[in-house]
Amino acid sequence: MIRITQSLYVIDLVHKCMLEDSARNSAYFQAILGNKDIFSGQTVLDVGAGTGILSVFCAQAGAKRVYAVEASDTYQISEEIVKENKCEDIIKVIHGDVDTVSLPEDGKVDIIVSEWMGHFLLHEGMLDSVIRARDKFLRPGGYLFPENATLYCSPCRVPSLNEDWKNVSGVSMLSFSKRLQNNSLSSPLLLNVKPEHILSEPEILLWIDLREATVDDVNCNKIQHLAVVDKSGRYQGICLWFTCSFPSLTSEPVVLSTSAEEPLTHWKQTVVALPVDISVERGQPIAYDISIRRSPDNNRKYGLEVEMLDPDDVVHPEYCTCFKTRCILTRAVLEKYENEQMQE
């Protein structure tokens, strides 16, 4: 009898999705390898290193030392990847929580890299850990990759919950779609939203400067928006996505975007479905409050809440492009004044 004993690692499907996300990998590769002047000879901390791919990028960019900190059992995979890429002399894998680990030498690093983003940027992400690692380990003037992040929102169509069910192989399934809609009201959806389903120019819900942000800064955020429809359609939800920007010394900063206009990522887009289906036309104003709030029971989880508002009860911006008479008249007056000023 031949007995074969193997050490089996259960690879988290989340990590598999990340490694298959070419847009994500490409952004980090370009941001790190495109800035060898920043990484050359420097000490780097990889927060939540996972399988170690970002740590290897840093080593390839010329880092002197990389500390790959990973709290889960995935650190064992990271150790294998480091050996496979012959980076053992540069990358030191540390199994532990970044909040409690200690680093060798003076315990300080020149650069922090991390893929900390969760769905709609914050949900089940690791931003808190990155902020605490920055305060604990990053030298003054050090770099963060990425260094800022922006969360956007816009009204949208959600045909996968609505009109797609009018004809399923010749059978109307709208009764079933009503069940889907009702279920979606209790939790945001992760969808691949098509660009033509976005109904207006995006609004910024949240902007985070990782060089200065505190944990308290991302506990809660609430914004009132007035969007102007730029294509006629069905108003069925609010779509959210994010971008992250990386520092650069020699070229345009790399931006990782999860917008519907960009190649699909494993984050997809987050959609808050509405309990109603409203027909809208070009130029029509849409008003809503949207809030993002940290869960009191789990620091890594966030909730989204949308309140639909009457656009007539909301203050419109000076240059509002909606088709309301007051906004048309205001624009005309402002444009006349600007033309007179230019002539003078």
Side-chain angles (χ1 to χ4, degrees):
M1 180 178 69
I2 299 175
R3 178 177 295 167
I4 300 176
T5 302
Q6 294 182 331
S7 175
L8 299 179
Y9 300 145
V10 179
I11 301 179
D12 190 334
L13 289 178
V14 172
H15 289 295
K16 181 175 182 292
C17 289
M18 289 179 179
L19 293 173
E20 292 174 340
D21 187 339
S22 58
R24 170 237 187 211
N25 294 341
S26 176
Y28 274 92
F29 179 88
Q30 293 177 42
I32 294 172
L33 275 296
N35 281 286
K36 291 184 177 181
D37 289 344
I38 293 178
F39 283 85
S40 180
Q42 301 300 301
T43 302
V44 181
L45 171 61
D46 183 356
V47 177
T51 57
I53 186 171
L54 302 187
S55 294
V56 174
F57 287 166
C58 295
Q60 293 173 342
K64 175 181 66 177
R65 169 65 73 182
V66 180
Y67 297 113
V69 177
E70 174 56 48
S72 74
D73 288 341
T74 310
Y75 84 94
Q76 299 172 70
I77 301 174
S78 184
E79 290 179 332
E80 292 181 346
I81 298 300
V82 169
K83 291 179 181 178
E84 182 179 341
N85 288 273
K86 298 179 174 57
C87 295
E88 305 98 309
D89 293 340
I90 299 173
I91 302 173
K92 177 178 176 58
V93 179
I94 300 174
H95 182 211
D97 191 315
V98 74
D99 293 338
T100 58
V101 300
S102 298
L103 300 183
E105 301 174 8
D106 65 354
K108 297 295 182 181
V109 300
D110 305 295
I111 304 167
I112 291 178
V113 301
S114 181
E115 198 270 75
W116 54 266
M117 299 80 75
H119 295 292
F120 58 91
L121 188 62
L122 296 178
H123 183 64
E124 294 188 341
M126 297 192 308
L127 180 56
D128 288 10
S129 294
V130 174
I131 290 173
R132 288 193 287 265
R134 177 203 66 195
D135 294 343
K136 183 178 179 182
F137 297 117
L138 189 63
R139 290 191 177 95
Y143 292 91
L144 290 117
F145 280 68
E147 68 177 358
N148 63 68
T150 308
L151 180 62
Y152 298 91
C153 58
S154 177
C156 68
R157 289 176 56 201
V158 194
S160 59
L161 289 181
N162 296 277
E163 53 265 38
D164 284 357
W165 298 93
K166 289 181 179 178
N167 186 331
V168 180
S169 298
V171 179
S172 175
M173 300 290 289
L174 290 177
S175 298
F176 178 68
S177 76
K178 289 295 182 184
R179 291 178 177 270
L180 293 177
Q181 292 173 39
N182 290 335
N183 290 337
S184 70
L185 297 179
S186 61
S187 179
L189 305 170
L190 299 179
L191 301 176
N192 178 17
V193 178
K194 295 181 179 179
E196 59 266 28
H197 294 165
I198 301 296
L199 296 176
S200 74
E201 288 296 313
E203 300 276 356
I204 295 176
L205 173 58
L206 179 66
W207 183 77
I208 303 171
D209 182 349
L210 271 75
R211 296 166 297 184
E212 299 181 356
T214 67
V215 172
D216 289 342
D217 289 339
V218 290
N219 282 337
C220 177
N221 198 64
K222 182 177 181 178
I223 296 292
Q224 184 177 98
H225 287 306
L226 188 132
V228 179
V229 175
D230 58 18
K231 60 176 73 70
S232 299
R234 309 295 300 182
Y235 172 33
Q236 299 161 333
I238 302 294
C239 179
L240 297 96
W241 66 94
F242 65 85
T243 63
C244 289
S245 297
F246 298 82
S248 179
L249 295 181
T250 59
S251 61
E252 285 295 317
V254 173
V255 177
L256 169 61
S257 174
T258 63
S259 163
E261 300 279 353
E262 300 297 331
L264 184 65
T265 70
H266 73 278
W267 291 284
K268 300 183 179 180
Q269 289 83 40
T270 300
V271 173
V272 179
L274 301 182
V276 292
D277 181 352
I278 303 172
S279 177
V280 293
E281 56 183 299
R282 184 182 177 89
Q284 183 171 338
I286 293 176
Y288 59 94
D289 279 340
I290 182 167
S291 64
I292 178 170
R293 192 182 308 275
R294 192 194 297 267
S295 167
D297 303 319
N298 187 328
N299 283 340
R300 292 185 61 181
K301 293 187 176 181
Y302 285 79
L304 286 169
E305 184 175 306
V306 172
E307 180 182 359
M308 302 173 67
L309 304 174
D310 185 337
D312 289 334
D313 296 334
V314 174
V315 176
H316 292 220
E318 273 190 338
Y319 283 91
C320 179
T321 58
C322 81
F323 59 29
K324 294 286 185 180
T325 301
R326 64 184 180 185
C327 291
I328 294 174
L329 293 175
T330 301
R331 286 201 310 273
V333 171
L334 290 172
E335 289 172 0
K336 179 181 179 182
Y337 174 77
E338 287 182 350
N339 289 334
E340 292 174 350
Q341 291 295 105
M342 291 179 63
Q343 291 174 2
E344 290 179 0

